[in-house]
Amino acid sequence: MNLFPIMKSLLIILISSFSQLLFAQNVKINCQFPEGSQDTCYLRIDKFHIKEYEPNEKAIINNLTCSFNLNIDQPSIAILSYNNQSIQLWLEPNDDLKIKFTSSNLVNDIQIEGKGLEQNKFLAAFSQKYKVDYNEDSIKAKILSMSIDAFENMIFEARKNQFDFLKRNKANSNFSSTFVNYINNLIKYHYYYQLQAFPIIQANSNTGLTVTPLPAVFLEDITTTLVNNHEALNCSSYRNFLSYYIIYNTSRLNAYDKFTDNSISMESKMNFTNQNIQGQSKIFFIANYLNEHIQGVTTLAAKKTYSLLSETENKGVYTKLIKPKYELKMKEKGKSKKDLADNNSTSPNDASKIKILGTNGKYFTLNDLKGKVLYIDFWAGWCGPCRGQFPFSKELHKKFTSKQLKDLVFLYISIDKNEEVWKTGLEQNKLGEFMNGLVPGDWGSEIVKQFKISSIPRYMLIDKKGNIVDDNAKRPSDDGIYKDIIRLIE
């Protein structure tokens, strides 16, 4: 009898079990309640940062006590709930907490002992001391009643007081570095979140169609590094900031006009996110936004966003979590009138009506280029990301043979406000070797409205018959675009 396969299987099981013990460590929580308490206590672990998908533990209160035993592989925020009240807990591997509630008020009357007590005592004290500063209704009321300068002064002072409170307590405690980072992020990003939220909340509260821009001085500290901090995803302040950062900047790219169509709004936000947000932060925002707004958009918009999520995280955990809700959306009977309108928005017949000004002073249309594969780049001289793609575009052009280029046109369509600005951009970016055109007007450009372009650069692939194959094609910096073009040429 060959024992090797059996021993091999046992070894795999032992390694797997050892790995689970190594990376998922036990946390114990014992809760004691006052006289008269009964029913059930719940503990929700903040794992995915989307409430409806979070693991939820349940414990029956017996003899005024209940307990939780769970495994966590990294420090996490948890929400302990009882009788319509809840408190936050900070949990680290191997914590052993004993929590005593001395009255029916879970928030005010609490005693904590055991491993992890110092961090949780601070978290409870911080939450109680600054609960008004972090209350969403209070924040909204202040935004709607104050000027931006007065509001910024207020939240700047609040941030200073909170950091001072942390500094005083940290000096006399044994906080872990992970917990200190969490509180630092909580305070820091709460300030930036409120700044970004100010113009959006004000705009959403009135019937006007525009968003008032923030003063430039308030945006100076918001760097790429600040935005793309996936290590802060365990912090609600960062997640709120990320959301309003994307919403505000999408509005900026839309000339601060409010979106009146949820599907166009979603596409615009996904385009901005795809171009400017990185790593796990990007994955989280796409998943969270789709999860919240999937019922209010067309099946076409939902499909595009779900595909972006699936491709970005390589069919990972968020794709699987949201899949049931997405599949239910796809089962909606037939296509709505709005879906049909979205599909028709990029039809060749509509595109043929748009006159494009060439560098020779003559106009042409996309229909004039039938018989050629078109790789279209929508850009403008003021668009930094557009300029960043031009070197990749030139390298992509070099990959095609002379014979292939006879069937292919690299078409750069500018939406600059006028001809003078456009030609300056052509000269600065050395685009003269390619085919160029202008449909002026910035975000009011006819071609922007026709193709519902909500951010640039935007790319499009059209086959030799004039059919739009991909209205949101890959960028020149994406190696996959070469194969997409070759398939249309051959």
Side-chain angles (χ1 to χ4, degrees):
M1 179 178 178
N2 186 359
L3 295 178
F4 180 75
I6 298 174
M7 293 179 67
K8 183 179 179 182
S9 298
L10 287 172
L11 182 61
I12 291 172
I13 293 171
L14 286 171
I15 292 173
S16 175
S17 301
F18 178 75
S19 298
Q20 290 178 8
L21 288 171
L22 182 64
F23 294 109
Q25 301 176 53
N26 194 49
V27 171
K28 298 178 181 178
I29 303 171
N30 182 272
C31 302
Q32 183 176 344
F33 295 88
E35 290 291 338
S37 300
Q38 55 184 348
D39 203 13
T40 308
C41 189
Y42 297 91
L43 187 74
R44 189 178 78 245
I45 309 297
D46 188 16
K47 183 177 181 180
F48 305 114
H49 317 304
I50 301 179
K51 183 177 178 180
E52 65 187 276
Y53 302 112
E54 303 298 8
N56 203 17
E57 303 286 335
K58 180 173 75 171
I60 304 298
I61 298 174
N62 187 18
N63 294 326
L64 304 181
T65 65
C66 71
S67 61
F68 297 92
N69 287 280
L70 56 147
N71 290 319
I72 62 172
D73 55 8
Q74 60 185 354
S76 304
I77 282 288
I79 310 297
L80 180 67
S81 302
Y82 169 72
N83 196 25
N84 296 320
Q85 298 180 75
S86 62
I87 62 167
Q88 280 192 341
L89 296 176
W90 174 262
L91 303 181
E92 295 190 6
N94 297 318
D95 273 356
D96 188 351
L97 290 170
K98 296 175 178 61
I99 304 171
K100 182 177 181 180
F101 301 104
T102 56
S103 78
S104 59
N105 189 324
L106 263 63
V107 178
N108 293 333
D109 301 312
I110 179 173
Q111 298 174 5
I112 304 175
E113 297 179 355
K115 189 175 185 299
L117 76 94
E118 287 190 343
Q119 291 162 167
N120 279 286
K121 284 176 68 175
F122 174 85
L123 186 60
F126 183 91
S127 299
Q128 181 64 18
K129 186 176 181 65
Y130 299 109
K131 63 181 179 181
V132 174
D133 291 349
Y134 286 79
N135 181 277
E136 296 299 321
D137 291 335
S138 176
I139 292 169
K140 183 176 180 180
K142 289 170 182 174
I143 286 175
L144 296 178
S145 64
M146 301 175 72
S147 69
I148 181 59
D149 290 322
F151 182 75
E152 194 279 332
N153 283 333
M154 181 193 70
I155 63 175
F156 181 89
E157 187 64 24
R159 179 178 65 171
K160 179 181 180 300
N161 292 336
Q162 291 166 30
F163 274 131
D164 288 344
F165 184 75
L166 172 61
K167 185 177 180 181
R168 289 194 303 271
N169 283 269
K170 185 175 66 172
N172 302 310
S173 302
N174 295 315
F175 295 158
S176 68
S177 59
T178 309
F179 179 69
V180 173
N181 285 339
Y182 170 79
I183 298 297
N184 271 317
N185 285 331
L186 183 71
I187 298 169
K188 175 175 65 177
Y189 282 106
H190 190 60
Y191 167 81
Y192 290 115
Y193 145 59
Q194 292 176 96
L195 270 186
Q196 299 278 254
F198 186 93
I200 304 303
I201 289 175
Q202 282 206 336
N204 289 341
S205 69
N206 60 58
T207 57
L209 295 177
T210 60
V211 175
T212 302
L214 286 167
V217 67
F218 292 157
L219 303 174
E220 290 176 350
D221 294 337
I222 301 179
T223 62
T224 301
T225 302
L226 183 81
V227 173
N228 289 293
N229 183 8
H230 69 273
E231 292 182 355
L233 271 170
N234 65 347
C235 178
S236 60
S237 292
Y238 171 72
R239 299 194 300 271
N240 289 337
F241 159 73
L242 181 66
S243 177
Y244 275 99
Y245 172 82
I246 292 169
I247 293 170
Y248 177 76
N249 279 281
T250 303
S251 174
R252 175 180 59 82
L253 291 171
N254 198 45
Y256 296 105
D257 289 336
K258 290 162 69 171
F259 289 96
T260 57
D261 184 288
N262 291 333
S263 298
I264 296 175
S265 176
M266 176 179 279
E267 182 179 0
S268 177
K269 290 174 178 62
M270 292 307 113
N271 285 339
F272 178 84
T273 300
N274 195 32
Q275 295 172 20
N276 296 279
I277 310 301
Q278 301 168 8
Q280 198 62 29
S281 296
K282 175 179 176 178
I283 292 169
F284 165 75
F285 178 80
I286 296 171
N288 188 52
Y289 195 87
L290 178 61
N291 184 64
E292 288 184 353
H293 298 277
I294 192 169
Q295 296 305 325
V297 299
T298 64
T299 54
L300 180 62
K303 186 175 182 179
K304 285 183 177 181
T305 304
Y306 186 78
S307 296
L308 176 61
L309 173 64
S310 177
E311 292 168 5
T312 303
E313 73 160 351
N314 194 23
K315 298 182 180 179
V317 61
Y318 284 106
T319 307
K320 294 174 184 175
L321 287 175
I322 296 173
K323 186 177 181 180
K325 187 178 286 190
Y326 168 72
E327 289 180 339
L328 188 63
K329 176 72 176 179
M330 292 299 107
K331 289 179 181 178
E332 291 182 354
K333 291 183 179 180
K335 285 193 173 183
S336 66
K337 291 180 180 179
K338 183 65 184 64
D339 280 327
L340 294 174
D342 278 351
N343 282 334
N344 290 335
S345 69
T346 55
S347 71
N349 290 334
D350 290 337
S352 67
K353 302 174 184 177
I354 300 173
K355 292 183 178 180
I356 305 169
L357 178 64
T359 52
N360 59 1
K362 297 181 180 180
Y363 286 92
F364 65 94
T365 68
L366 295 182
N367 266 0
D368 294 331
L369 300 174
K370 275 188 177 181
K372 305 276 189 180
V373 173
L374 305 183
Y375 182 48
I376 304 176
D377 180 336
F378 297 98
W379 69 286
W382 44 261
C383 171
C386 300
R387 296 193 298 271
Q389 286 294 311
F390 290 150
F392 295 102
S393 183
K394 292 172 183 177
E395 288 300 314
L396 175 64
H397 187 271
K398 294 176 182 177
K399 292 182 179 181
F400 297 97
T401 66
S402 299
K403 182 180 179 181
Q404 290 169 339
L405 288 172
K406 290 180 180 179
D407 294 320
L408 171 64
V409 173
F410 279 70
L411 174 58
Y412 294 78
I413 299 179
S414 169
I415 64 168
D416 278 311
K417 63 181 179 180
N418 57 46
E419 188 175 349
E420 181 181 358
V421 175
W422 168 51
K423 289 190 173 178
T424 299
L426 288 178
E427 184 177 349
Q428 290 175 343
N429 293 288
K430 297 180 173 58
L431 297 177
E433 62 184 291
F434 305 108
M435 186 171 185
N436 288 279
L438 170 70
V439 184
D442 285 334
W443 293 112
S445 166
E446 184 182 359
I447 206 160
V448 165
K449 296 176 181 177
Q450 186 67 57
F451 290 117
K452 301 185 186 301
I453 297 171
S454 53
S455 66
I456 55 174
R458 174 76 169 267
Y459 303 90
M460 186 177 292
L461 270 176
I462 298 179
D463 66 17
K464 294 179 181 180
K465 296 180 180 179
N467 299 314
I468 295 174
V469 176
D470 191 345
D471 67 348
N472 193 11
K474 297 181 181 70
R475 292 179 165 202
S477 57
D478 188 327
D479 291 338
I481 187 59
Y482 175 78
K483 293 180 181 179
D484 290 350
I485 294 174
I486 282 291
R487 280 194 288 268
L488 295 178
I489 293 176
E490 295 175 346

